[in-house]
Amino acid sequence: MMRKLDILLYTRASGGGGAERVWAILANGLAARGHRVTFAFDETTANDGVDPTVETIEVGERHPVAVLRLARLLRTRHFDVIAGAVSVSCVKLALAKVLALSRTPLVFSYHGFEEYKTGRLSAVGFYALPALAPLVRRFVGVSDGIVRALVERWHAPEGRTERIYNPVPLLAAASAEEIAARPPIVGAVGRLSREKGMDVLVDAFARLTTPGAILVVGGDGPERERLAEQVAALGIDDRVRFLGRVSSAAEVYGQSRVAAVPSRTEAFGMTTVEALSVGLGVVASDCEGSREILAGRYGTLVPVGDAAALATALDRALATAPDPGPGVSRAREFSAEAGLDQWERLFTGLAATD
């Protein structure tokens, strides 16, 4: 029987972005398996999705206050393992570990190629990685691409760096007949920020030749207003729908015939897996995360930022008879259960050597 652990997970918020969502899924899943899970975060979000069985602690958005509160927590509780997601949170958890004189095994989890650009502490998590390495028992990247970058560019110790794909709760698959009967809707889900490339998708959609095509976008973010202006300028207001924040990608993919993932950069791509899991054809930009998931067989890749190529591929996908089987099978390799199994094995192994 696997030992039940006392685990601390820490990141920026209780939900919202990709990494935060992953940490909430991990917290819920480990708690459901009988582990005692404490989920600490800087701020609470309205759509956190954290299960009541998970103990939650809000440590505050000010970095010094958060570090001190985390250190106090580490002094008063004996955790079997502690883990941070995204570099800024990893650095703060490492500082708290030092202040608390804690010997608890620490895991750093990296979720993006460009996290180092988002703030000074985020940069420390990359540029000072060799100096932080003695404090860290394992470095985790959410894709093989991230692991390569951590080892080759940022000098993470190769023997203590591994890949664990994000645990993705898969959506219910539709049949080929159901998908074929839908209107020619292109669905996209993601944060409306520059790195997600929604502006490229809007440009591409304006070039589509498929009669009656509609674009449905789920998500919110800082680019929302600019995207609306772009849609208006292109004269396609009547064919583009922004749904805002959605509770599940199923709200978009459940009505779509094809999924578009136009990201400029993507470390993994949970929405790509979700699109495959419902049986949709996927057209994605050729960035690391999408390339790794689609593996040259499960979707179509186009050059990053190339609206003309994206439009051509979307027209072709809309005209192609759906074949959900291969994509649905591929999505199972990234299921929540598969990811939870890997994280549980890692945490159990680290706790056993403590």
Side-chain angles (χ1 to χ4, degrees), residues 206-328:
R207 303 169 187 234
L208 257 61
T209 60
T210 301
I214 296 169
L215 174 62
V216 177
V217 180
D220 208 348
E223 295 284 293
R224 173 72 180 263
E225 186 174 337
R226 197 174 75 81
L227 289 169
E229 292 172 353
Q230 181 184 2
V231 166
L234 290 168
I236 53 176
D237 310 60
D238 58 332
R239 297 191 293 126
V240 178
R241 303 172 188 163
F242 289 105
L243 302 185
R245 184 171 290 172
V246 293
S247 60
S248 168
E251 294 182 38
V252 175
Y253 293 150
Q255 60 179 303
S256 302
R257 193 188 294 176
V258 171
V261 185
S263 305
R264 289 183 169 88
T265 178
E266 196 73 72
F268 177 70
M270 294 182 73
T271 59
T272 304
V273 175
E274 289 171 319
L276 291 175
S277 75
V278 301
L280 297 186
V282 177
V283 178
S285 55
D286 190 9
C287 56
E288 284 271 4
S290 296
R291 188 185 314 128
E292 192 166 329
I293 292 168
L294 297 178
R297 299 167 50 199
Y298 303 101
T300 301
L301 294 172
V302 300
V304 174
D306 190 333
L310 181 57
T312 299
L314 287 171
D315 270 326
R316 187 180 301 119
L318 286 168
T320 302
D323 181 14
V328 171

Side-chain angles (χ1 to χ4, degrees), residues 127-150:
Y127 288 103
L129 192 152
L132 292 167
L135 297 170
V136 184
R137 293 283 286 278
R138 194 72 87 248
F139 295 89
V140 173
V142 299
S143 64
D144 289 332
I146 285 284
V147 168
R148 280 195 302 274
L150 288 173

Side-chain angles (χ1 to χ4, degrees), residues 18-40:
E20 293 83 0
R21 182 184 172 206
V22 167
W23 240 222
I25 292 168
L26 185 58
N28 293 343
L30 292 172
R33 294 184 177 196
H35 301 287
R36 181 182 180 185
V37 182
T38 301
F39 187 10

Side-chain angles (χ1 to χ4, degrees), residues 3 5 80-81 105 137 344-354:
R3 173 186 168 191
L5 305 177
D80 293 301
V81 63
R137 293 283 286 278
E344 189 174 36
R345 283 195 297 269
L346 172 60
F347 287 162
T348 300
L350 293 177
T353 59
D354 184 25

Side-chain angles (χ1 to χ4, degrees), residues 29-91:
L30 292 172
R33 294 184 177 196
H35 301 287
R36 181 182 180 185
V37 182
T38 301
F39 187 10
F41 41 80
D42 297 338
E43 60 175 328
T44 304
T45 58
N47 63 330
D48 57 28
V50 182
D51 194 90
T53 59
V54 176
E55 179 185 358
T56 57
I57 299 175
E58 185 171 345
V59 296
E61 297 180 55
R62 294 178 57 205
H63 295 330
V65 173
V67 169
L68 291 174
R69 288 177 176 169
L70 288 167
R72 188 180 308 120
L73 181 62
L74 294 179
R75 282 195 298 268
T76 56
R77 284 270 300 278
H78 177 72
F79 293 100
D80 293 301
V81 63
I82 58 178
V86 304
S87 58
V88 62
S89 300
C90 292
V91 171

